[in-house]
Amino acid sequence: MDLRLIRNATMRLRYAGLDLLTDPYLAARHTLPSYAGKSLNPLVDLPCAPEEVVSGMDVTIISHMHGDHFDAAGQALLPKDAFILCQPGDEARIVAKGFTRVAPVAGTWQRDGLTLTRVPAQHGTGHVLGEMGVASGFVLQAVGEPTVYWAGDSVWCDAVAETITRFAPDVIITHSCGATWDEGVLIVMDAAQTIETLKAAPRAVVVAIHMEAVDHGTLSRGDLRRAASDAGISPDRLLIPENGATITLAAR
């Protein structure tokens, strides 16, 4: 598998012979409102032309409908006949934006040797969960490829632990910027929770994304690397790609 991080949760994956796009967040730097009163969003520009991000995709996966995962620019640039997978309940909103090939994934979806399974995510805790709404993670499986668990917008929780136990992934993709909401309630993983994920899956490589892109994040790439080093995590077990970087991952 080749994983190219674009920005935030936007990735291009080459997996099982298919080109996959996740959560297209394609606005230019500082053209969207702030989440935390610190800065306009996104915090950084894309590493390439936005048209390049959406070109040649076989499947686009939308984890949930928050604005930093499928923004107006992404909706405008993604071809209206793009094949889109989403969580149940989001399909009507996506179709209403003019997209004609939208399939909700309640359990599993298969194509050309790829099996994609939707799994639960927990986008925060306590009363904030009601405001955040439902988000999903996805597991990718194929012969000759690593089993990949994209945890999505989720804190460390029982659902994440259960997915790791169920699928024994080779690769776990976490959203690890420590974003907070409503006076500091964590809504995605921070350094401690990313390290907890690594400890729960000692044979897996964790790829930390969704970093240094939105102003409610509280954790930088450097912060995460230092915390992992202090916890005794080897650099080859925790990959923290820069925007635009491509990494190749194999079954372990």
Side-chain angles (χ1 to χ4, degrees), residues 21 58-65 70 78-96 98-111 116-118 136-138:
L21 173 66
D58 296 305
V59 181
T60 297
I61 308 168
I62 307 296
S63 65
H64 64 305
M65 292 294 289
F70 195 24
L78 193 66
K80 290 299 184 281
D81 62 351
F83 182 67
I84 298 175
L85 299 176
C86 65
Q87 62 183 3
D90 286 351
E91 64 271 24
R93 293 177 63 188
I94 298 172
V95 169
F99 294 96
T100 59
R101 301 171 64 212
V102 182
V105 180
T108 62
W109 174 88
Q110 294 181 315
R111 175 176 167 182
L116 181 140
T117 305
R118 187 183 66 83
S136 292
F138 293 89

Side-chain angles (χ1 to χ4, degrees), residues 1 3 146-151 164 168-174 194 197-209 225 233-241 247-252:
M1 179 188 78
L3 181 161
T147 296
V148 178
Y149 169 30
W150 172 31
I164 291 171
D170 301 293
V171 177
I172 304 172
I173 303 170
T174 59
T194 304
T197 303
L198 282 150
K199 291 179 177 178
R203 60 179 294 275
V205 169
V206 168
V207 182
I209 66 167
R225 177 61 70 200
I233 302 296
S234 170
D236 62 356
R237 287 206 56 226
L238 174 61
L239 307 182
I240 313 174
I247 56 178
T248 298
L249 298 153
R252 292 170 70 84

Side-chain angles (χ1 to χ4, degrees), residues 212-245:
E212 299 178 354
V214 286
D215 78 324
H216 58 326
T218 64
L219 184 70
S220 71
R221 289 177 170 93
D223 293 335
L224 179 57
R225 177 61 70 200
R226 284 186 289 273
S229 178
D230 290 346
I233 302 296
S234 170
D236 62 356
R237 287 206 56 226
L238 174 61
L239 307 182
I240 313 174
E242 297 290 336
N243 296 342

Side-chain angles (χ1 to χ4, degrees), residues 123-125 128 155 177-181 184-190 193 218:
H123 199 358
T125 56
V128 165
V155 296
C177 69
T180 61
W181 201 258
V185 178
L186 199 65
I187 57 173
V188 300
M189 293 187 193
D190 60 5
Q193 293 193 355
T218 64

